[in-house]
Amino acid sequence: MYSDSLSEKIRWSLPWLMRYPAWRYGEWAIRDKESPHPSHLVFLVANHFEPATDEQGLVQLEKWCHMARVTGNAVRDHDGTPFRHTNFFPAEQYERRRLELLASLQAEGFGEVEVHFHHGVERPDTAANAKRMLEDFRDALAEDHKCLSREAPESRPRYAFVHGNWALANSAGGRFCGVDSEMQILADTGCYADFTLPSAPDQSQVPKINAIYECGHPLTESRPHRSGPALRVGRRPQPPVIFTGPLVFDWTRRVHGLPIPRIDDGALAQNYPLDLGRFNRWRNARIGVEGRPEWIFIKLYSHGFFEWDQDIMIGEHLRRFMGEVLDLADRKGQFKIHFASAREAFNMVMAAVDGLSGEPGNYRDYHLKQIMSEGVRSSSGEGEPMVMLR
């Protein structure tokens, strides 16, 4: 019997809470040495995309696609790229019509499709079944819908990943997974990066926070991502790369005049309105590649079919907030905004690792290119070297 009581959540959170002061001190030290040149803020949204499987779910999905187009056309970054989500679709809920709608949305530039996976819910899954499910779904996305990406037309498909119920690599005490070797399976089946974290105050939250990093332990172990070296310029990483969103404290809430901290984990949810205070907290998490501090990656997340959250994740509330952020960037001249998919953000990270600089938007197709756009060479990719991950 598992308990999600307050005492359990505090106990689960102690490992990362103990590291938080040291991380915050390091962030302050970096801020003191901030470059006078404009920084580049790369926004991406990992949408844990779970439309209902009945006919009403299809109606909801069509409504979602409409909202994604409206918002994408209304809000564009400093490169002219539309705001969009990366839609992590559940492997265990494959249905052709839904994927056809999402593939069409991707073809229009309003949201790429990647891999989400729930398993081990009723009983622990097996490694063999998890690998089979991931391979089958990967191949269906790549072959039937031309989603996902790869280095070259003759290469195998590659994918980004989000674990259902947060339990990446059996990190939730045996619940919602059951496969200790899951990270190795992800590597073997073509996963280039995981975008699950943060998950606090869930048991699956690991001590490492606010970083883009490699697994520091053997991939065959449970929770190999509990620690590991941050990505840095000049050192090629071993995939899957762990790509976290911000996990910071918000001290603005008051109860009887006393500050009561609240976790800000980058969730796009109605109970946490978007404002410039949240934007500054995400920005100050300074998640990026060591040696390229002017490129800051802000990974947000959402659950696409909680209808009460849709205004803040893709609707008018989101459009108004992003308009304020873009206006602030134009007025202050301190930073530029770039909207990216998970794949594009990974490509930018790999460009940074390879020592490239300048505008991160120039490297959207640096390493991995969309399968559906094969044969069309990106104008920003002219003459760029290919990076081969081993």
Side-chain angles (χ1 to χ4, degrees):
M1 184 72 179
Y2 292 94
S3 170
D4 288 340
S5 66
L6 178 60
S7 62
E8 286 280 11
K9 291 178 178 179
I10 292 174
R11 181 171 65 85
W12 294 337
S13 296
L14 283 176
W16 73 264
L17 286 172
M18 293 173 65
R19 294 196 177 194
Y20 189 85
W23 168 80
R24 178 55 78 188
Y25 177 81
E27 183 272 317
W28 282 334
I30 293 173
R31 197 186 311 182
D32 288 341
K33 300 176 182 178
E34 194 169 46
S35 168
H37 302 294
S39 58
H40 298 271
L41 310 185
V42 180
F43 276 89
L44 59 148
V45 180
N47 192 328
H48 302 203
F49 205 75
E50 301 172 40
T53 55
D54 57 14
E55 286 302 311
Q56 182 58 33
L58 196 58
V59 173
Q60 291 175 331
L61 180 54
E62 290 172 340
K63 178 183 175 184
W64 173 271
C65 290
H66 173 72
M67 289 191 294
R69 292 182 177 98
V70 169
T71 294
N73 282 318
V75 182
R76 293 179 179 264
D77 69 8
H78 287 106
D79 305 324
T81 301
F83 177 87
R84 67 263 205 258
H85 290 199
T86 300
N87 301 313
F88 288 82
F89 195 94
E92 76 284 357
Q93 296 179 25
Y94 174 79
E95 195 274 324
R96 176 173 292 276
R97 176 57 180 155
R98 286 163 175 75
L99 264 302
E100 287 174 347
L101 287 172
L102 286 179
S104 295
L105 195 68
Q106 176 170 331
E108 297 172 38
F110 297 120
E112 297 184 23
V113 179
E114 297 288 357
V115 176
H116 192 24
F117 187 35
H118 303 80
H119 64 141
V121 176
E122 296 181 358
R123 59 183 178 276
D125 200 2
T126 66
N129 184 66
K131 184 176 182 181
R132 178 186 61 81
M133 289 286 292
L134 288 169
E135 287 177 333
D136 288 351
F137 188 56
R138 175 202 66 194
D139 293 345
L141 287 178
E143 295 171 12
D144 298 341
H145 302 285
K146 306 304 177 187
C147 296
L148 305 185
S149 57
R150 51 191 169 204
E151 294 97 336
E154 65 275 11
S155 305
R156 68 172 178 168
R158 306 296 297 273
Y159 65 92
F161 186 71
V162 162
H163 199 295
N165 299 308
W166 313 112
L168 177 65
N170 212 20
S171 57
R175 295 181 292 176
F176 311 127
C177 184
V179 181
D180 284 349
S181 61
E182 182 169 62
M183 199 69 77
Q184 185 65 61
I185 292 170
L186 293 176
D188 292 343
T189 56
C191 176
Y192 58 84
D194 177 85
F195 292 80
T196 302
L197 296 174
S199 60
D202 192 81
Q203 185 177 8
S204 57
Q205 177 62 50
V206 296
K208 186 86 172 183
I209 59 172
N210 297 322
I212 303 172
Y213 66 103
E214 296 178 73
C215 294
H217 303 269
L219 300 187
T220 52
E221 289 185 3
S222 173
R223 301 172 68 243
H225 58 298
R226 58 191 178 273
S227 63
L231 266 61
R232 66 175 186 266
V233 172
R235 184 180 183 277
R236 297 281 181 85
Q238 177 191 32
V241 168
I242 307 301
F243 206 122
T244 81
L247 182 57
V248 294
F249 281 110
D250 173 5
W251 290 90
T252 61
R253 184 170 56 174
R254 296 288 187 274
V255 176
H256 302 300
L258 297 175
I260 303 298
R262 179 181 187 181
I263 289 175
D264 191 341
D265 59 359
L268 297 178
Q270 197 65 42
N271 66 350
Y272 209 157
L274 297 170
D275 58 32
L276 292 179
R278 290 193 76 187
F279 165 71
N280 285 324
R281 283 190 290 276
W282 302 337
R283 179 189 177 191
N284 289 334
R286 298 178 186 277
I287 297 172
V289 174
E290 291 186 357
R292 185 63 63 238
E294 68 275 20
W295 292 7
I296 297 172
F297 294 84
I298 300 174
K299 192 220 81 172
L300 311 178
Y301 77 91
S302 65
H303 290 82
F305 290 90
F306 293 167
E307 289 199 23
W308 52 88
D309 290 336
Q310 287 187 354
D311 181 53
I312 205 168
M313 69 176 78
I314 199 70
E316 176 59 32
H317 189 132
L318 184 282
R319 293 195 291 272
R320 187 167 56 250
F321 167 72
M322 283 299 176
E324 292 175 0
V325 169
L326 288 162
D327 180 65
L328 180 66
D330 290 338
R331 286 189 290 108
K332 297 290 188 179
Q334 297 175 342
F335 56 86
K336 291 184 178 181
I337 301 297
H338 308 271
F339 300 141
S341 66
R343 175 190 64 87
E344 290 171 331
F346 174 78
N347 282 337
M348 295 173 190
V349 163
M350 291 308 302
V353 165
D354 279 0
L356 300 178
S357 60
E359 298 272 344
N362 292 336
Y363 307 108
R364 294 179 182 276
D365 295 317
Y366 177 69
H367 171 52
L368 296 172
K369 297 177 175 61
Q370 295 186 69
I371 290 173
M372 67 172 54
S373 65
E374 284 175 351
V376 180
R377 186 170 179 81
S378 169
S379 61
S380 65
E382 193 67 37
E384 291 169 1
M386 290 296 290
V387 182
M388 299 304 292
L389 294 184
R390 304 297 182 188

